[in-house]
Amino acid sequence: MGQELLKESEIRERLKGLKGWTLSGKEIRKSIETKDFVRAMGLVNSIALLAERRNHHPDIDIRWNKVHLALSTHSAGGLTDKDFELASAIDQL
């Protein structure tokens, strides 16, 4: 489970349950603004722990106080349950 590609209708439905995530090609993306660089790094470290436990790692870009995330199951060639499970966990941080 987790490696089967989701249909576009499933993706759009699941996006409704996530705050601030958008579809971009074969990825879902979110940008988070924090108060400062230290808090941005703290957020990234928390995301890293979630990702490592799930063995599913987002692409992360840090620009001072902004953290940009992109999720996709590269081994499956698109979006799977794993992406939405991690996105939901990130939203709970």
Side-chain angles (χ1 to χ4, degrees):
M1 186 175 152
Q3 291 293 319
E4 186 174 318
L5 286 176
L6 298 172
K7 297 176 185 168
E8 186 173 341
S9 60
E10 293 172 309
I11 292 167
R12 297 214 181 271
E13 188 61 33
R14 290 181 187 209
L15 277 173
K16 291 177 186 177
L18 298 175
K19 184 178 180 184
W21 291 88
T22 59
L23 180 63
S24 178
K26 294 182 177 186
E27 300 177 326
I28 54 173
R29 295 175 174 252
K30 181 174 184 167
S31 294
I32 303 167
E33 187 170 337
T34 64
K35 186 176 179 179
D36 55 35
F37 181 74
V38 172
R39 286 191 174 91
M41 292 306 299
L43 175 63
V44 168
N45 286 329
S46 295
I47 292 169
L49 291 172
L50 288 174
E52 194 63 22
R53 278 187 290 225
R54 288 168 170 76
N55 193 29
H56 190 60
H57 306 90
D59 293 334
I60 302 174
D61 180 28
I62 306 159
R63 306 291 171 109
W64 189 63
N65 70 331
K66 294 177 183 74
V67 178
H68 305 282
L69 304 167
L71 284 168
S72 182
T73 305
H74 301 291
S75 60
L79 292 163
T80 67
D81 288 332
K82 291 176 97 172
D83 301 301
F84 286 90
E85 290 166 4
L86 183 55
S88 179
I90 289 168
D91 283 350
Q92 293 176 30
L93 289 176

